[in-house]
Amino acid sequence: MRESMEFDVVIVGAGPAGLSAACRLMQQAQEAEQELTVCVVEKGSEVGAHILSGAVIESRAMDELFPDWKDAPEESRAPLNTPVTSDELYLLKSDTAAKKLPNALIPKTMHNTGHGLNNYVVSLGNVCRWLAEQAEGLGVEIFPGFAAAEILFNEDGSVKGIATGDMGITAAGEQGPNYMEGMELHAKYTLFAEGCRGHLGKQLIEQFKLDNEADAQHYGIGIKELWDIDPAKHQPGLVVHGSGWPLEGDTTGGFFLYHLENNQAVVGLIVDLNYTNPWLSPFDEFQRLKHHPVLAQHLEGGTRVAYGARAITKGGFNALPKMTFPGGLLIGCNAGTLNFSKIKGTHTAMKSGMLAAEAVFEAIAAGNEGGAELSSFSDKFEASWAYDELFRSRNFGPAMHKFGPILGGAFNFIDQNIFGGKLPITLHDDKPDYAQL
């Protein structure tokens, strides 16, 4: 029989959502002078090992979670070191031609400078490592290298916690010399912050029918490279986005190139997974893309130092499942809180984790022994800026999928810049991506 450990809250995944939830839980416990036990399990060998993102993040959630992060000594300050300084958006017309779009014609949500925005180019892995340090300083226990393999249930069907996977299994499926049986982690509430298409999250969505009233979820594949670039070409804080070539026909997506600190840049291509061409290779399209003059001018003379890919949950507001169920919550990209219209999801993921922490702490402080469904989270979420932001962007993805980048972009300009995301119509994109291949 597996050994078990008891906690007040177990969090699956040490990404922005899970770590923000952990920090907010312990902040509340300290303010209330109440003892609280919080555990975070992370499948990566260390926190940040599975975070594949050079990203532009909006600091709004960080400002709320740690209001004094900018005032801390440099060695302990949150690693938001590179404010966005300039913003460019291109439509690539061919392998050599491109049109730079003027700011006045770009949907407001896609702007990264002006409008009182506080956006930073970051290594999200470093941000998560910093959040983990804050969480541990507050008393959270973090277990890297432990994958949550199984959901545990109470007799009444509510979630009881998770079991970690057995370790030391050989390629033949047998117990090796370093075999260690998985452990059961029991909690009053379990928060699932696994990221895109988390395998436990998929089971919860199916078991509790959480997506019954949601549109089909949509996904992209993001391929990213980190480059050391020529110092003469380095422009810290430059943000470049674009769409068009090499993605053609009904294949949608876009590229990004961000200048970080230390003469580094990240470059990548996101391909929506609703393409119809079965021979399309997103990786090969990305390799072609890097030779376009718009990107090549930044990369020539540089060296690629790291690369990878990850899936992205990008269905937005219309595809959000119900996030509550008896005994726990889905948060962050496990639910799909990314704002595709901003090409950003860190701030909304963090906010969902913070709201989850507040709902959970209120229940525990009131003497709730767990297993209940936290409807208070839904109320908090619907009253939050994260919900308002996602609602205002609900038409962005469906417009791009239905009408393409030019007509879809024109629709989104009208929706976002003129109506502030409150056009009295809602577009739906309810055909699953896989069904279009």
Side-chain angles (χ1 to χ4, degrees), residues 169-223:
I169 302 294
T170 69
E174 300 170 349
Q175 295 180 11
N178 299 317
Y179 173 76
M180 186 170 69
E181 189 176 36
M183 292 192 63
E184 293 192 358
L185 305 178
H186 300 166
K188 294 174 181 175
Y189 290 100
T190 307
L191 308 184
F192 293 84
E194 302 168 284
C196 177
R197 282 181 63 79
H199 73 121
L200 300 184
K202 288 193 292 183
Q203 293 175 35
L204 291 163
I205 289 170
E206 182 177 0
Q207 174 145 345
F208 292 106
K209 297 179 171 54
L210 301 179
D211 60 351
N212 270 11
E213 297 181 12
D215 285 1
Q217 188 57 270
H218 297 283
Y219 302 94
I221 184 74
I223 304 166

Side-chain angles (χ1 to χ4, degrees), residues 19-180:
L19 291 170
S20 297
C23 290
R24 188 70 192 112
L25 279 163
M26 298 307 288
Q27 287 175 343
Q28 293 172 99
Q30 291 187 3
E31 291 164 6
E33 298 183 349
Q34 180 172 335
E35 187 174 336
L36 192 73
T37 56
V38 178
C39 161
V40 178
V41 293
E42 163 56 38
K43 67 184 177 184
S45 57
E46 63 175 9
V47 173
H50 277 269
I51 300 294
L52 187 83
S53 183
V56 175
I57 74 169
E58 193 174 299
S59 69
R60 188 172 187 176
M62 183 72 81
D63 297 339
E64 293 180 5
L65 186 59
F66 294 107
D68 58 351
W69 70 267
K70 291 182 185 177
D71 303 321
E74 187 174 347
E75 65 275 5
S76 58
R77 191 165 59 220
L80 279 64
N81 302 319
T82 310
V84 175
T85 54
S86 53
D87 203 7
E88 299 176 359
L89 183 66
Y90 291 87
L91 179 63
L92 305 189
K93 296 184 172 183
S94 72
D95 59 348
T96 57
K99 180 175 179 59
K100 184 178 179 181
L101 302 180
N103 273 340
L105 297 181
I106 298 171
K108 190 184 298 183
T109 53
M110 298 188 72
H111 290 201
N112 288 284
T113 56
H115 308 287
L117 295 172
N118 291 309
N119 289 332
Y120 297 82
V121 182
V122 302
S123 159
L124 197 56
N126 288 342
V127 171
C128 287
R129 280 184 274 272
W130 184 86
L131 285 171
E133 290 172 4
Q134 310 315 302
E136 289 181 320
L138 290 163
V140 176
E141 295 186 60
I142 299 179
F143 300 143
F146 288 87
E150 179 186 349
I151 307 167
L152 304 176
F153 296 93
N154 294 303
E155 290 183 3
D156 64 1
S158 62
V159 171
K160 182 181 183 179
I162 58 99
T164 63
D166 296 341
M167 302 179 74
I169 302 294
T170 69
E174 300 170 349
Q175 295 180 11
N178 299 317
Y179 173 76
M180 186 170 69

Side-chain angles (χ1 to χ4, degrees), residues 219-221 247 250-254 270-275 280 314 340 397 400-401 433:
Y219 302 94
I221 184 74
L247 304 181
D250 59 1
T251 303
T252 53
I270 297 172
V271 179
D272 295 345
L273 293 182
N274 63 344
Y275 54 81
L280 180 77
K314 55 183 292 296
F340 176 50
M400 298 295 278
H401 286 175
D433 294 337

Side-chain angles (χ1 to χ4, degrees), residues 3-19:
E3 291 186 36
S4 65
M5 297 175 67
E6 302 288 335
F7 296 92
D8 290 312
V9 185
V10 167
I11 300 171
V12 181
L19 291 170

